[in-house]
Amino acid sequence: MSNPASQPTWHPESLAARLPFLQRRSALTGSVRRFFEARGYLEVETPYAVAAPGEEVHLRAFATVREHPDGAREPLWLHTSPEFAMKRLLVAGAGPIFQFARVWRNGEGSALHAPEFTMLEWYQPGVGLDGLIAETTDLLRSTLPAVVRCRGITTDLSRFERLTVAEAFSRYVGVDLLAIGQDAAGLAAGAGATLRQAETWEDLFFRLLLERIEPALGRQHPTFLTHWPAAQAALARRDPANPRVAERFELFICGIELANAFVELTDPVEQRARFLADRRRRHALYGADWAPDEDFLAALAFGMPASAGIALGFDRMAMIASGADRIGQVLWLPPADLM
């Protein structure tokens, strides 16, 4: 028999090699749906081709064009997350809601990244950071084995660790991140790192996070990395008790970043200001792209309920559930370079 990895992904030998992982993925999909349905969530579907795919600085979107019956052409983008659309539904009163959404991020491809993948995203009105962490813990314990092993790391779900970003920088980098503030030279000096040419505070923050902190997270037990610096708030609100940080967490299991979550920012004025700042940075790096999502900002201005939401990489969850080593093993027809 030939090597399945050398076969086209449609070849029977290639599918046979992936089938145990895909069967586990299928069972996981069903158990996740049952979890949310039992809790009164409504499963939704939102458009994939949108006028504005997101405002993240470094995510690259796939472009397309809608041709209208009258011949007009409308530029659209494949969304990088269903977040804006699902928040519109929260404004409309649809919550609590969840979605298995296909999303696209151009330029990505590795053992843990695919350019097209499935995002499990859910939103619950009236829930804060602690409530969302508790619900996420319940979901994982309800749908995954008590002990999981993926990519050579064994993680026990009997206990979940909570660690703030400031605590993580103190423990693994040896600096008081919040006291230093957004001082790149000060952060480099405190960390014993050399500041690279043109490296910003944000660049160094993520370099230290990736090199020194993330390799230690979510190994023996899952880790919730919480309370990010306000400069990394994204779409999260600032913590009312400490405005230097935002009510955001990332979740790590088997050393893999699995999810990113916010207590949602509902202030349309602050959200617009954040969008404009991100757009300026993105356009300076990559050039002009789409227009601001004025419809989303209008929905926020109409009034979004206080909510918490989370985006979880479902393909990665399937890897953890099945013990797969590469994301291509849990995709039905993966690109050849992901096998």
Side-chain angles (χ1 to χ4, degrees):
M1 181 179 292
S2 60
N3 179 5
S6 66
Q7 300 284 6
T9 55
W10 49 259
H11 194 280
E13 291 179 10
S14 178
L15 179 60
R18 299 195 308 280
L19 198 55
F21 305 108
L22 293 166
Q23 289 170 331
R24 183 66 183 92
R25 177 192 178 113
S26 181
L28 182 65
T29 302
S31 60
V32 167
R33 278 199 167 99
R34 289 189 293 273
F35 175 88
F36 284 112
E37 289 166 357
R39 291 184 170 228
Y41 277 76
L42 184 65
E43 184 171 4
V44 301
E45 293 180 285
T46 56
Y48 290 172
V50 296
E55 292 294 355
E56 294 91 339
V57 173
H58 299 294
L59 290 186
R60 295 166 58 191
F62 286 83
T64 186
V65 175
R66 179 187 174 191
E67 297 181 0
H68 290 264
D70 64 0
R73 294 170 61 85
E74 177 187 6
L76 295 175
W77 306 80
L78 299 181
H79 69 171
T80 59
S81 164
E83 183 169 7
F84 291 178
M86 293 183 76
K87 287 181 178 178
R88 287 175 171 89
L89 292 178
L90 292 179
V91 171
I97 52 177
F98 79 100
Q99 179 172 191
F100 287 97
R102 298 297 288 182
V103 298
W104 290 262
R105 297 182 179 184
N106 214 343
E108 298 196 355
S110 71
L112 294 173
H113 298 83
E116 176 185 353
F117 61 98
T118 299
M119 187 83 81
L120 169 63
E121 197 148 331
W122 73 93
Y123 293 85
Q124 171 76 284
V127 171
L129 193 71
D130 291 343
L132 185 58
I133 287 176
E135 185 166 62
T136 305
T137 300
D138 289 344
L139 169 69
L140 296 173
R141 286 177 172 165
S142 297
T143 57
L144 295 178
V147 177
V148 291
R149 181 174 176 81
C150 185
R151 295 174 60 79
I153 299 174
T154 300
T155 302
D156 184 345
L157 274 61
S158 64
R159 179 174 69 83
F160 282 66
E161 175 189 32
R162 286 183 62 163
L163 189 67
T164 69
V165 171
E167 290 169 342
F169 268 80
S170 176
R171 179 184 300 179
Y172 299 113
V173 183
V175 298
D176 186 337
L177 182 69
L178 298 182
I180 291 172
Q182 295 187 59
D183 177 358
L187 179 57
T194 300
L195 192 64
R196 297 169 179 170
Q197 184 175 3
E199 188 171 37
T200 65
W201 174 89
E202 182 182 58
D203 294 334
L204 179 58
F205 169 85
F206 279 109
R207 176 156 67 95
L208 295 171
L209 186 71
L210 291 170
E211 292 179 358
R212 303 194 193 179
I213 295 175
E214 288 192 5
L217 303 182
R219 300 182 74 87
Q220 184 176 357
H221 297 279
T223 302
F224 288 103
L225 186 65
T226 73
H227 295 88
W228 288 60
Q232 297 302 318
L235 278 74
R237 75 174 187 180
R238 293 175 185 253
D239 186 345
N242 183 1
R244 294 185 300 172
V245 298
E247 293 184 297
R248 170 185 178 185
F249 72 74
E250 288 188 354
L251 170 63
F252 295 80
I253 300 180
C254 292
I256 298 170
E257 179 196 332
L258 182 61
N260 187 23
F262 308 140
V263 175
E264 303 299 342
L265 177 63
T266 57
D267 182 341
V269 176
E270 183 175 353
Q271 187 64 84
R272 180 182 291 276
R274 290 191 196 179
F275 278 176
L276 291 175
D278 286 344
R279 290 173 63 80
R280 283 193 294 269
R281 292 174 57 215
R282 190 175 69 248
H283 292 171
L285 290 169
Y286 306 115
D289 41 45
W290 47 87
D293 194 337
E294 294 294 345
D295 185 67
F296 171 66
L297 292 169
L300 281 189
F302 185 88
M304 190 177 102
S307 307
I310 181 168
L312 184 150
F314 188 71
D315 308 279
R316 293 183 180 183
M317 187 178 181
M319 289 178 65
I320 292 167
S322 64
D325 293 322
R326 299 183 60 82
I327 198 168
Q329 293 171 291
V330 297
L331 302 179
W332 282 95
L333 285 172
D337 61 342
L338 298 186
M339 290 301 297

